Amino acid sequence: MADVSADRPVGGTIVTPARKRGTIGRTIAGTLTWLAVTPLAAWAIARLTGVERGSLASQLMTATPYAAASSLVPLLMAAAGRRRAATAVALLTTTAFGFAVLPRALGSAEATVGRPLRVLTVNMLFGRADAQAIVDLAQRYDADVLSTQELTPGAVADLDAAGLKTLMPHRVLQDEWSASGSGLFSRHPLTPLDHEMPQVGHHMPAALIALPGGKPIEFLDVHTFTPLGPQVANWNAAFDAFPPPSKETVRVLAGDFNATLDHAPMRRLLARGYKDAADTVGAGLVPTWPANKRVPPIITIDHVLVDERVGVKEVSVHTVPQTDHRAVFAVLSVP
């Protein structure tokens, strides 16, 4: 048995384990990071796959460009916190948004040779829009065709009194004292196409425009329902009912689509052989609604869609007094 020296103390030092400082803080920060990453990742997946369903999802999808910009915030949070999994998901989310949104600001004018066609389209807000301002726009930009939505009989009279009757004497009108009224005005002769578009939205008159130097082109004045409540079904149906591009006839669709380029029905329509004129020249992120409000325009729902064979040289957006939509003007080149 070993002797215990009196000079050596019996027992030892009691050591208390150091607490892991900051563990709770890191856990909270990680949770907050995932709370920021997850909704935007789900949004990006919905945008890419087109699985938005119902009124609420359709409304949210209009804000996709803003979601794309905000996706940088959780990416920076995850990277700063050195959270590899969250950073990877956030990076994929931002990349997906980038591929979906950025091309709209990166277009370029096309050099397609053909007959010029200058298109102006505007929603007149129950006919209240400033008729003189619209006619002035048509004159200033030498528009060949004016596509109007929410056109009332009173608005027709106001436009003609402002000089449109002389400027564009040819017209195919379905004016009405409601939001459903629409009408086409043209410098060139028009031939109505009475059964081109089924009644799955507001009035959407169609006509053949006899452009000089070649075959007539087909023009459709678009005004779908808004995707609110039970109208979502008819909104979707309208996009499926739009005529596809044709080898025999060049088609142009212009008006208030009540949809952005992020909505699945619009993307299905484009996939059938159309392109958005503003998107083509890098103006696809210029908002058109709401106008003349306390808040600035925030979403792009007014469009000019053209056959893939049609060249797009220029697109501009203009505020017209007394209406909640901005006018869209496009310079096209028709083969």
Side-chain angles (χ1 to χ4, degrees):
M1 188 173 183
D3 293 336
V4 178
S5 171
D7 296 332
R8 299 176 63 185
V10 178
T13 303
I14 298 175
V15 179
T16 303
R19 294 182 179 179
K20 296 182 179 179
R21 297 179 179 178
T23 300
I24 296 177
R26 287 194 295 271
T27 300
I28 293 175
T31 301
L32 291 176
T33 299
W34 279 110
L35 286 174
V37 169
T38 303
L40 289 169
W43 193 320
I45 291 171
R47 164 60 177 81
L48 290 175
T49 59
V51 296
E52 78 260 19
R53 295 290 184 274
S55 177
L56 178 59
S58 298
Q59 297 303 308
L60 288 174
M61 197 55 62
T62 62
T64 294
Y66 302 100
S70 65
S71 70
L72 293 171
V73 175
L75 175 58
L76 293 174
M77 289 173 59
R82 298 181 181 180
R83 294 172 178 85
R84 293 183 179 180
T87 299
V89 174
L91 181 59
L92 288 172
T93 299
T94 299
T95 302
F97 276 131
F99 277 111
V101 173
L102 284 180
R104 296 174 218 174
L106 301 176
S108 60
E110 299 177 318
T112 304
V113 177
R115 297 169 290 165
L117 177 66
R118 297 173 179 85
V119 176
L120 180 64
T121 180
V122 61
N123 182 312
M124 298 188 68
L125 185 60
F126 297 96
R128 299 172 191 162
D130 188 323
Q132 189 63 62
I134 294 173
V135 174
D136 288 346
L137 270 177
Q139 288 179 320
R140 186 187 319 153
Y141 290 97
D142 197 24
D144 295 295
V145 184
L146 171 63
S147 174
T148 61
Q149 304 84 51
E150 300 196 23
L151 178 72
T152 63
V156 175
D158 291 341
L159 288 167
D160 283 344
L164 191 63
K165 190 170 186 179
T166 301
L167 187 67
M168 295 182 176
H170 309 282
R171 63 262 321 258
V172 173
L173 305 181
Q174 294 181 14
D175 49 316
E176 189 173 288
W177 292 105
S178 72
S180 288
S182 298
L184 291 172
F185 301 83
S186 173
R187 293 179 184 268
H188 311 289
L190 296 176
T191 302
L193 297 172
D194 296 329
H195 303 291
E196 186 64 23
M197 186 65 193
Q199 189 62 36
V200 288
H202 301 291
H203 293 315
M204 293 191 258
L208 287 174
I209 303 177
L211 285 183
K215 290 183 178 180
I217 69 160
E218 187 174 309
F219 199 104
L220 179 60
D221 183 352
V222 174
H223 191 193
T224 66
F225 288 139
T226 55
L228 293 173
Q231 292 182 339
V232 170
N234 278 338
W235 176 72
N236 274 282
F239 284 92
D240 294 332
F242 287 133
S246 166
K247 293 181 179 180
E248 293 75 27
T249 304
V250 172
R251 287 196 174 99
V252 176
L253 284 64
D256 176 7
F257 287 75
N258 276 307
T260 72
L261 298 183
D262 294 301
H263 283 111
M266 173 67 91
R267 286 158 48 213
R268 288 198 305 268
L269 177 61
L270 293 171
R272 292 160 68 188
Y274 290 107
K275 60 186 177 183
D276 181 82
D279 181 35
T280 302
V281 298
L285 292 177
V286 179
T288 64
W289 186 90
N292 299 305
K293 303 291 184 181
R294 291 182 179 179
V295 297
I298 55 175
I299 59 176
T300 308
I301 58 176
D302 301 89
H303 306 271
V304 176
L305 303 189
V306 298
D307 184 310
E308 290 282 4
R309 296 168 293 179
V310 176
V312 182
K313 295 185 176 182
E314 175 190 340
V315 173
S316 54
V317 177
H318 306 269
T319 299
V320 174
Q322 300 174 38
T323 177
D324 59 345
H325 287 253
R326 301 176 79 192
V328 178
F329 173 72
V331 180
L332 309 177
S333 181
V334 179

